[in-house]
Amino acid sequence: MGNIYDVRTYEPSQSIGYLMTRVKVEMLAALDRELAADPHLSALGVTAAQFIVLVRLVGTANRKSATDLCKELSYDAGAMTRMIDRLEKKGLVRRMRCVKDRRLIYLEATDEGRAAYPRMLEMSVAVQNRFLRGLEQKDAQKLKDYLTRMLHNAG
Amino acid sequence: MGNIYDVRTYEPSQSIGYLMTRVKVEMLAALDRELAADPHLSALGVTAAQFIVLVRLVGTANRKSATDLCKELSYDAGAMTRMIDRLEKKGLVRRMRCVKDRRLIYLEATDEGRAAYPRMLEMSVAVQNRFLRGLEQKDAQKLKDYLTRMLHNAG
DNA sequence: TTACAATGTCGGCCTAGGCAGATATATCTG
DNA sequence: CAGATATATCTGCCTAGGCCGACATTGTAA
């Protein structure tokens, strides 16, 4: 019923899974290079992975816990603890225990984290625009649609 | 000149970069689960990352070195050394020093590695078909085309 | 031939994610 | 109230990739 691939003709090196992995790696690497090249941000030593977490903290009004971030980003809880350790050590994020539910720890971007945000966002946009060069708006919309459907199929 | 995103309207959580990262993670995780669920392959303890490397060794006739694989998969050389260590420890891969150029080490899948290959390929195809469910062949072709163009833009 | 550059592999150190178990707190149930 | 259950975080152990420097080998130029 409408399978895309067949074992007998499948070419791993040209599969969508392979291509997607490659694109993702290249995009992250490009963002890392941009971050490292920026005089101000390179001093902070922010990586692409850290940036993605930071965006979620700065870009929304309401307070968030580590678990909230894990759900949004389908991230492992243990990995998140360590990620926040690194961000806290760099002074970009603060931990604040919730007094009403002492299991919870709210996360907040510091002033430094907030200050670095606009420049980071610029870079993210620039990198993605570069990768999407040559595509029309409707192509980008289609690509986004395909990805959304795949994510939905993941269950 | 035809940029897809603008900093003022950019929504990180709906960007193509974010979606692609999510899909890639979910696809790898799904493959890992399939591998772990298979009675025979789970005994070998093969992961998705190891599978991707193994495919390259079994799926081609000519001998390959670690550097060859690194170029094909845009992989780090140090990471590849350790990856091969793990594959070798599991008895799936053999190292063979080249006598003509003693810097080179040729890699070869063992009989066990070769034997596991067809089942692995099946799983890879099944997972990708599942993620692409609902897409027509021409949609898959378009998606592949977009990804290829993005990879090309990476430079 | 000798000095230098290039290549291939390896190891150390870092960031990074997944999984399982431990701990503390909160909530539900009898 | 007491005991079980659920939730949030943390820690240890694993795989995993990137970067850099060490080392051996090979190729090249003086």
mmCIF file of all heavy atoms in Angstrom, chain A residues 47 49-50 75-76 82-83 86 101-103, chain C residues 14-20 24-27:
data_model
loop_
_atom_site.group_PDB
_atom_site.id
_atom_site.type_symbol
_atom_site.label_atom_id
_atom_site.label_comp_id
_atom_site.label_asym_id
_atom_site.label_seq_id
_atom_site.Cartn_x
_atom_site.Cartn_y
_atom_site.Cartn_z
ATOM 1 N N THR A 47 27.404 26.693 22.278
ATOM 2 C CA THR A 47 27.332 25.763 21.161
ATOM 3 C C THR A 47 25.916 25.776 20.583
ATOM 4 O O THR A 47 24.995 26.348 21.166
ATOM 5 C CB THR A 47 27.640 24.334 21.620
ATOM 6 O OG1 THR A 47 26.588 23.902 22.494
ATOM 7 C CG2 THR A 47 28.969 24.258 22.333
ATOM 8 N N ALA A 49 23.841 23.298 20.324
ATOM 9 C CA ALA A 49 22.923 22.555 21.188
ATOM 10 C C ALA A 49 22.455 23.424 22.351
ATOM 11 O O ALA A 49 21.266 23.428 22.713
ATOM 12 C CB ALA A 49 23.607 21.295 21.707
ATOM 13 N N GLN A 50 23.396 24.170 22.920
ATOM 14 C CA GLN A 50 23.053 25.057 24.034
ATOM 15 C C GLN A 50 22.139 26.176 23.559
ATOM 16 O O GLN A 50 21.209 26.579 24.267
ATOM 17 C CB GLN A 50 24.324 25.632 24.657
ATOM 18 C CG GLN A 50 25.146 24.577 25.373
ATOM 19 C CD GLN A 50 26.542 25.059 25.742
ATOM 20 O OE1 GLN A 50 26.814 26.248 25.758
ATOM 21 N NE2 GLN A 50 27.425 24.115 26.035
ATOM 22 N N TYR A 75 13.796 15.586 24.726
ATOM 23 C CA TYR A 75 15.148 15.520 25.264
ATOM 24 C C TYR A 75 15.153 14.561 26.452
ATOM 25 O O TYR A 75 14.159 14.440 27.158
ATOM 26 C CB TYR A 75 15.499 16.915 25.759
ATOM 27 C CG TYR A 75 16.883 17.399 25.458
ATOM 28 C CD1 TYR A 75 17.198 17.883 24.199
ATOM 29 C CD2 TYR A 75 17.860 17.413 26.429
ATOM 30 C CE1 TYR A 75 18.466 18.348 23.936
ATOM 31 C CE2 TYR A 75 19.125 17.885 26.165
ATOM 32 C CZ TYR A 75 19.412 18.350 24.916
ATOM 33 O OH TYR A 75 20.673 18.815 24.652
ATOM 34 N N ASP A 76 16.262 13.928 26.698
ATOM 35 C CA ASP A 76 16.394 13.069 27.873
ATOM 36 C C ASP A 76 16.580 13.920 29.139
ATOM 37 O O ASP A 76 17.284 14.937 29.119
ATOM 38 C CB ASP A 76 17.588 12.141 27.687
ATOM 39 C CG ASP A 76 17.837 11.268 28.906
ATOM 40 O OD1 ASP A 76 17.060 10.328 29.109
ATOM 41 O OD2 ASP A 76 18.783 11.563 29.663
ATOM 42 N N ARG A 82 22.506 17.918 32.804
ATOM 43 C CA ARG A 82 23.897 18.275 32.506
ATOM 44 C C ARG A 82 23.995 19.488 31.581
ATOM 45 O O ARG A 82 24.906 20.312 31.716
ATOM 46 C CB ARG A 82 24.604 17.067 31.896
ATOM 47 C CG ARG A 82 24.808 15.937 32.896
ATOM 48 C CD ARG A 82 25.538 14.783 32.278
ATOM 49 N NE ARG A 82 24.733 14.088 31.290
ATOM 50 C CZ ARG A 82 24.011 12.994 31.537
ATOM 51 N NH1 ARG A 82 24.019 12.470 32.733
ATOM 52 N NH2 ARG A 82 23.299 12.433 30.591
ATOM 53 N N MET A 83 23.062 19.577 30.642
ATOM 54 C CA MET A 83 23.032 20.727 29.745
ATOM 55 C C MET A 83 22.854 22.019 30.537
ATOM 56 O O MET A 83 23.546 23.014 30.310
ATOM 57 C CB MET A 83 21.875 20.552 28.747
ATOM 58 C CG MET A 83 21.610 21.755 27.861
ATOM 59 S SD MET A 83 22.997 22.188 26.808
ATOM 60 C CE MET A 83 22.803 20.985 25.495
ATOM 61 N N ARG A 86 25.950 23.100 32.336
ATOM 62 C CA ARG A 86 26.890 23.832 31.481
ATOM 63 C C ARG A 86 26.434 25.269 31.260
ATOM 64 O O ARG A 86 27.237 26.204 31.343
ATOM 65 C CB ARG A 86 27.035 23.105 30.138
ATOM 66 C CG ARG A 86 27.849 21.822 30.225
ATOM 67 C CD ARG A 86 28.109 21.231 28.856
ATOM 68 N NE ARG A 86 26.905 20.676 28.248
ATOM 69 C CZ ARG A 86 26.498 19.416 28.376
ATOM 70 N NH1 ARG A 86 27.201 18.569 29.105
ATOM 71 N NH2 ARG A 86 25.407 18.995 27.787
ATOM 72 N N ASP A 101 6.066 23.797 45.021
ATOM 73 C CA ASP A 101 6.336 22.377 44.756
ATOM 74 C C ASP A 101 7.847 22.196 44.726
ATOM 75 O O ASP A 101 8.499 22.487 43.729
ATOM 76 C CB ASP A 101 5.705 21.956 43.416
ATOM 77 C CG ASP A 101 5.882 20.459 43.172
ATOM 78 O OD1 ASP A 101 6.752 19.845 43.823
ATOM 79 O OD2 ASP A 101 5.159 19.909 42.337
ATOM 80 N N ARG A 102 8.362 21.716 45.822
ATOM 81 C CA ARG A 102 9.819 21.707 45.972
ATOM 82 C C ARG A 102 10.528 20.650 45.109
ATOM 83 O O ARG A 102 11.751 20.543 45.134
ATOM 84 C CB ARG A 102 10.200 21.526 47.453
ATOM 85 C CG ARG A 102 9.838 22.751 48.308
ATOM 86 C CD ARG A 102 10.395 22.638 49.712
ATOM 87 N NE ARG A 102 11.822 22.277 49.722
ATOM 88 C CZ ARG A 102 12.812 23.104 49.421
ATOM 89 N NH1 ARG A 102 12.560 24.348 49.092
ATOM 90 N NH2 ARG A 102 14.045 22.701 49.467
ATOM 91 N N ARG A 103 9.754 19.888 44.333
ATOM 92 C CA ARG A 103 10.397 19.009 43.353
ATOM 93 C C ARG A 103 10.855 19.820 42.143
ATOM 94 O O ARG A 103 11.822 19.495 41.464
ATOM 95 C CB ARG A 103 9.416 17.934 42.875
ATOM 96 C CG ARG A 103 9.045 16.912 43.912
ATOM 97 C CD ARG A 103 7.931 16.035 43.418
ATOM 98 N NE ARG A 103 6.760 16.838 43.062
ATOM 99 C CZ ARG A 103 5.611 16.335 42.626
ATOM 100 N NH1 ARG A 103 5.478 15.032 42.468
ATOM 101 N NH2 ARG A 103 4.608 17.120 42.331
ATOM 102 P P DC C 14 38.634 18.131 29.768
ATOM 103 O OP1 DC C 14 38.996 19.399 30.419
ATOM 104 O OP2 DC C 14 38.368 16.923 30.574
ATOM 105 O "O5'" DC C 14 37.357 18.382 28.835
ATOM 106 C "C5'" DC C 14 37.185 19.662 28.204
ATOM 107 C "C4'" DC C 14 36.199 19.550 27.064
ATOM 108 O "O4'" DC C 14 36.493 18.383 26.282
ATOM 109 C "C3'" DC C 14 34.749 19.351 27.466
ATOM 110 O "O3'" DC C 14 34.108 20.602 27.688
ATOM 111 C "C2'" DC C 14 34.139 18.644 26.267
ATOM 112 C "C1'" DC C 14 35.336 18.046 25.538
ATOM 113 N N1 DC C 14 35.253 16.569 25.408
ATOM 114 C C2 DC C 14 34.596 16.035 24.299
ATOM 115 O O2 DC C 14 34.101 16.805 23.470
ATOM 116 N N3 DC C 14 34.511 14.689 24.168
ATOM 117 C C4 DC C 14 35.055 13.896 25.099
ATOM 118 N N4 DC C 14 34.966 12.568 24.922
ATOM 119 C C5 DC C 14 35.728 14.421 26.240
ATOM 120 C C6 DC C 14 35.798 15.757 26.358
ATOM 121 P P DT C 15 32.630 20.590 28.355
ATOM 122 O OP1 DT C 15 32.345 21.973 28.788
ATOM 123 O OP2 DT C 15 32.536 19.472 29.310
ATOM 124 O "O5'" DT C 15 31.664 20.246 27.126
ATOM 125 C "C5'" DT C 15 31.660 21.082 25.976
ATOM 126 C "C4'" DT C 15 30.775 20.473 24.904
ATOM 127 O "O4'" DT C 15 31.240 19.145 24.578
ATOM 128 C "C3'" DT C 15 29.308 20.335 25.307
ATOM 129 O "O3'" DT C 15 28.494 20.801 24.230
ATOM 130 C "C2'" DT C 15 29.129 18.845 25.551
ATOM 131 C "C1'" DT C 15 30.161 18.232 24.606
ATOM 132 N N1 DT C 15 30.679 16.921 25.057
ATOM 133 C C2 DT C 15 30.567 15.823 24.239
ATOM 134 O O2 DT C 15 30.040 15.867 23.139
ATOM 135 N N3 DT C 15 31.082 14.658 24.761
ATOM 136 C C4 DT C 15 31.691 14.486 25.994
ATOM 137 O O4 DT C 15 32.112 13.387 26.343
ATOM 138 C C5 DT C 15 31.787 15.685 26.799
ATOM 139 C C7 DT C 15 32.422 15.612 28.138
ATOM 140 C C6 DT C 15 31.275 16.822 26.302
ATOM 141 P P DA C 16 26.943 20.948 24.476
ATOM 142 O OP1 DA C 16 26.429 21.798 23.392
ATOM 143 O OP2 DA C 16 26.766 21.343 25.890
ATOM 144 O "O5'" DA C 16 26.361 19.487 24.295
ATOM 145 C "C5'" DA C 16 26.449 18.859 23.035
ATOM 146 C "C4'" DA C 16 25.937 17.438 23.121
ATOM 147 O "O4'" DA C 16 26.939 16.587 23.720
ATOM 148 C "C3'" DA C 16 24.714 17.251 24.021
ATOM 149 O "O3'" DA C 16 23.571 17.156 23.196
ATOM 150 C "C2'" DA C 16 24.978 15.932 24.730
ATOM 151 C "C1'" DA C 16 26.256 15.421 24.105
ATOM 152 N N9 DA C 16 27.105 14.668 25.024
ATOM 153 C C8 DA C 16 27.823 15.153 26.077
ATOM 154 N N7 DA C 16 28.496 14.240 26.731
ATOM 155 C C5 DA C 16 28.180 13.066 26.076
ATOM 156 C C6 DA C 16 28.560 11.725 26.277
ATOM 157 N N6 DA C 16 29.367 11.334 27.256
ATOM 158 N N1 DA C 16 28.058 10.789 25.426
ATOM 159 C C2 DA C 16 27.241 11.195 24.449
ATOM 160 N N3 DA C 16 26.830 12.402 24.158
ATOM 161 C C4 DA C 16 27.328 13.312 25.020
ATOM 162 P P DG C 17 22.127 17.108 23.851
ATOM 163 O OP1 DG C 17 21.257 17.830 22.924
ATOM 164 O OP2 DG C 17 22.224 17.495 25.267
ATOM 165 O "O5'" DG C 17 21.737 15.572 23.804
ATOM 166 C "C5'" DG C 17 21.557 14.948 22.541
ATOM 167 C "C4'" DG C 17 21.371 13.458 22.728
ATOM 168 O "O4'" DG C 17 22.537 12.925 23.382
ATOM 169 C "C3'" DG C 17 20.182 13.084 23.613
ATOM 170 O "O3'" DG C 17 19.390 12.124 22.937
ATOM 171 C "C2'" DG C 17 20.810 12.508 24.872
ATOM 172 C "C1'" DG C 17 22.149 12.006 24.377
ATOM 173 N N9 DG C 17 23.171 12.005 25.416
ATOM 174 C C8 DG C 17 23.618 13.086 26.130
ATOM 175 N N7 DG C 17 24.538 12.776 27.008
ATOM 176 C C5 DG C 17 24.717 11.411 26.860
ATOM 177 C C6 DG C 17 25.570 10.518 27.535
ATOM 178 O O6 DG C 17 26.379 10.758 28.435
ATOM 179 N N1 DG C 17 25.426 9.215 27.068
ATOM 180 C C2 DG C 17 24.561 8.819 26.084
ATOM 181 N N2 DG C 17 24.551 7.534 25.761
ATOM 182 N N3 DG C 17 23.760 9.649 25.432
ATOM 183 C C4 DG C 17 23.878 10.921 25.874
ATOM 184 P P DG C 18 18.080 11.510 23.560
ATOM 185 O OP1 DG C 18 17.142 11.264 22.462
ATOM 186 O OP2 DG C 18 17.712 12.375 24.704
ATOM 187 O "O5'" DG C 18 18.558 10.099 24.145
ATOM 188 C "C5'" DG C 18 18.942 9.075 23.240
ATOM 189 C "C4'" DG C 18 19.054 7.750 23.957
ATOM 190 O "O4'" DG C 18 20.210 7.767 24.827
ATOM 191 C "C3'" DG C 18 17.861 7.404 24.853
ATOM 192 O "O3'" DG C 18 17.577 6.008 24.718
ATOM 193 C "C2'" DG C 18 18.345 7.746 26.254
ATOM 194 C "C1'" DG C 18 19.838 7.436 26.154
ATOM 195 N N9 DG C 18 20.676 8.235 27.041
ATOM 196 C C8 DG C 18 20.664 9.599 27.162
ATOM 197 N N7 DG C 18 21.540 10.047 28.031
ATOM 198 C C5 DG C 18 22.168 8.908 28.510
ATOM 199 C C6 DG C 18 23.197 8.762 29.470
ATOM 200 O O6 DG C 18 23.783 9.645 30.110
ATOM 201 N N1 DG C 18 23.531 7.437 29.666
ATOM 202 C C2 DG C 18 22.957 6.376 29.022
ATOM 203 N N2 DG C 18 23.403 5.167 29.339
ATOM 204 N N3 DG C 18 21.988 6.500 28.113
ATOM 205 C C4 DG C 18 21.647 7.791 27.912
ATOM 206 P P DC C 19 16.317 5.360 25.374
ATOM 207 O OP1 DC C 19 15.886 4.277 24.461
ATOM 208 O OP2 DC C 19 15.387 6.429 25.772
ATOM 209 O "O5'" DC C 19 16.899 4.692 26.694
ATOM 210 C "C5'" DC C 19 17.976 3.755 26.591
ATOM 211 C "C4'" DC C 19 18.371 3.284 27.967
ATOM 212 O "O4'" DC C 19 19.232 4.261 28.589
ATOM 213 C "C3'" DC C 19 17.202 3.059 28.923
ATOM 214 O "O3'" DC C 19 17.299 1.772 29.497
ATOM 215 C "C2'" DC C 19 17.361 4.169 29.961
ATOM 216 C "C1'" DC C 19 18.876 4.395 29.933
ATOM 217 N N1 DC C 19 19.302 5.756 30.379
ATOM 218 C C2 DC C 19 20.340 5.885 31.309
ATOM 219 O O2 DC C 19 20.866 4.864 31.754
ATOM 220 N N3 DC C 19 20.725 7.118 31.693
ATOM 221 C C4 DC C 19 20.125 8.193 31.192
ATOM 222 N N4 DC C 19 20.542 9.400 31.593
ATOM 223 C C5 DC C 19 19.065 8.090 30.244
ATOM 224 C C6 DC C 19 18.684 6.850 29.861
ATOM 225 P P DA C 20 16.131 1.135 30.370
ATOM 226 O OP1 DA C 20 15.866 -0.225 29.859
ATOM 227 O OP2 DA C 20 15.032 2.118 30.446
ATOM 228 O "O5'" DA C 20 16.802 1.031 31.811
ATOM 229 C "C5'" DA C 20 18.160 0.610 31.896
ATOM 230 C "C4'" DA C 20 18.654 0.801 33.313
ATOM 231 O "O4'" DA C 20 19.110 2.166 33.487
ATOM 232 C "C3'" DA C 20 17.600 0.560 34.388
ATOM 233 O "O3'" DA C 20 18.188 -0.135 35.481
ATOM 234 C "C2'" DA C 20 17.157 1.969 34.781
ATOM 235 C "C1'" DA C 20 18.456 2.748 34.606
ATOM 236 N N9 DA C 20 18.267 4.163 34.312
ATOM 237 C C8 DA C 20 17.337 4.721 33.477
ATOM 238 N N7 DA C 20 17.412 6.034 33.417
ATOM 239 C C5 DA C 20 18.459 6.357 34.264
ATOM 240 C C6 DA C 20 19.037 7.568 34.642
ATOM 241 N N6 DA C 20 18.622 8.761 34.178
ATOM 242 N N1 DA C 20 20.069 7.533 35.515
ATOM 243 C C2 DA C 20 20.479 6.351 35.979
ATOM 244 N N3 DA C 20 20.014 5.133 35.701
ATOM 245 C C4 DA C 20 18.995 5.208 34.830
ATOM 246 P P DA C 24 16.997 11.647 50.181
ATOM 247 O OP1 DA C 24 17.974 12.297 51.088
ATOM 248 O OP2 DA C 24 16.219 10.478 50.634
ATOM 249 O "O5'" DA C 24 15.966 12.758 49.689
ATOM 250 C "C5'" DA C 24 16.440 13.893 48.973
ATOM 251 C "C4'" DA C 24 15.268 14.665 48.404
ATOM 252 O "O4'" DA C 24 14.667 13.879 47.345
ATOM 253 C "C3'" DA C 24 14.156 14.957 49.420
ATOM 254 O "O3'" DA C 24 13.807 16.330 49.337
ATOM 255 C "C2'" DA C 24 12.999 14.049 48.983
ATOM 256 C "C1'" DA C 24 13.258 13.886 47.499
ATOM 257 N N9 DA C 24 12.767 12.631 46.927
ATOM 258 C C8 DA C 24 13.040 11.361 47.351
ATOM 259 N N7 DA C 24 12.465 10.420 46.635
ATOM 260 C C5 DA C 24 11.764 11.125 45.674
ATOM 261 C C6 DA C 24 10.934 10.715 44.606
ATOM 262 N N6 DA C 24 10.674 9.440 44.319
ATOM 263 N N1 DA C 24 10.396 11.678 43.844
ATOM 264 C C2 DA C 24 10.651 12.957 44.119
ATOM 265 N N3 DA C 24 11.412 13.465 45.090
ATOM 266 C C4 DA C 24 11.936 12.490 45.834
ATOM 267 P P DT C 25 12.848 16.957 50.461
ATOM 268 O OP1 DT C 25 13.368 18.303 50.757
ATOM 269 O OP2 DT C 25 12.653 15.955 51.527
ATOM 270 O "O5'" DT C 25 11.469 17.128 49.687
ATOM 271 C "C5'" DT C 25 11.451 17.822 48.453
ATOM 272 C "C4'" DT C 25 10.190 17.486 47.696
ATOM 273 O "O4'" DT C 25 10.175 16.085 47.361
ATOM 274 C "C3'" DT C 25 8.888 17.733 48.464
ATOM 275 O "O3'" DT C 25 8.208 18.814 47.847
ATOM 276 C "C2'" DT C 25 8.123 16.415 48.369
ATOM 277 C "C1'" DT C 25 8.841 15.702 47.227
ATOM 278 N N1 DT C 25 8.787 14.210 47.265
ATOM 279 C C2 DT C 25 8.082 13.558 46.287
ATOM 280 O O2 DT C 25 7.487 14.136 45.404
ATOM 281 N N3 DT C 25 8.098 12.174 46.386
ATOM 282 C C4 DT C 25 8.743 11.423 47.344
ATOM 283 O O4 DT C 25 8.689 10.200 47.321
ATOM 284 C C5 DT C 25 9.467 12.174 48.333
ATOM 285 C C7 DT C 25 10.202 11.446 49.410
ATOM 286 C C6 DT C 25 9.461 13.523 48.252
ATOM 287 P P DA C 26 6.838 19.360 48.451
ATOM 288 O OP1 DA C 26 6.722 20.765 48.033
ATOM 289 O OP2 DA C 26 6.766 18.989 49.880
ATOM 290 O "O5'" DA C 26 5.742 18.524 47.656
ATOM 291 C "C5'" DA C 26 5.690 18.631 46.227
ATOM 292 C "C4'" DA C 26 4.645 17.679 45.677
ATOM 293 O "O4'" DA C 26 5.064 16.315 45.911
ATOM 294 C "C3'" DA C 26 3.252 17.821 46.305
ATOM 295 O "O3'" DA C 26 2.320 18.015 45.256
ATOM 296 C "C2'" DA C 26 3.030 16.503 47.042
ATOM 297 C "C1'" DA C 26 3.941 15.553 46.270
ATOM 298 N N9 DA C 26 4.456 14.417 47.039
ATOM 299 C C8 DA C 26 5.214 14.458 48.174
ATOM 300 N N7 DA C 26 5.554 13.267 48.634
ATOM 301 C C5 DA C 26 4.970 12.397 47.734
ATOM 302 C C6 DA C 26 4.948 10.992 47.655
ATOM 303 N N6 DA C 26 5.562 10.199 48.540
ATOM 304 N N1 DA C 26 4.271 10.432 46.627
ATOM 305 C C2 DA C 26 3.657 11.241 45.737
ATOM 306 N N3 DA C 26 3.615 12.571 45.710
ATOM 307 C C4 DA C 26 4.291 13.084 46.739
ATOM 308 P P DT C 27 0.816 18.371 45.560
ATOM 309 O OP1 DT C 27 0.399 19.356 44.534
ATOM 310 O OP2 DT C 27 0.689 18.669 47.007
ATOM 311 O "O5'" DT C 27 0.077 16.998 45.273
ATOM 312 C "C5'" DT C 27 0.315 16.326 44.037
ATOM 313 C "C4'" DT C 27 -0.290 14.936 44.072
ATOM 314 O "O4'" DT C 27 0.501 14.068 44.923
ATOM 315 C "C3'" DT C 27 -1.721 14.867 44.621
ATOM 316 O "O3'" DT C 27 -2.517 14.111 43.720
ATOM 317 C "C2'" DT C 27 -1.562 14.153 45.952
ATOM 318 C "C1'" DT C 27 -0.374 13.250 45.644
ATOM 319 N N1 DT C 27 0.367 12.742 46.827
ATOM 320 C C2 DT C 27 0.596 11.388 46.936
ATOM 321 O O2 DT C 27 0.216 10.587 46.105
ATOM 322 N N3 DT C 27 1.303 11.012 48.064
ATOM 323 C C4 DT C 27 1.781 11.835 49.059
ATOM 324 O O4 DT C 27 2.401 11.372 50.007
ATOM 325 C C5 DT C 27 1.506 13.238 48.882
ATOM 326 C C7 DT C 27 1.996 14.214 49.915
ATOM 327 C C6 DT C 27 0.819 13.622 47.790
#
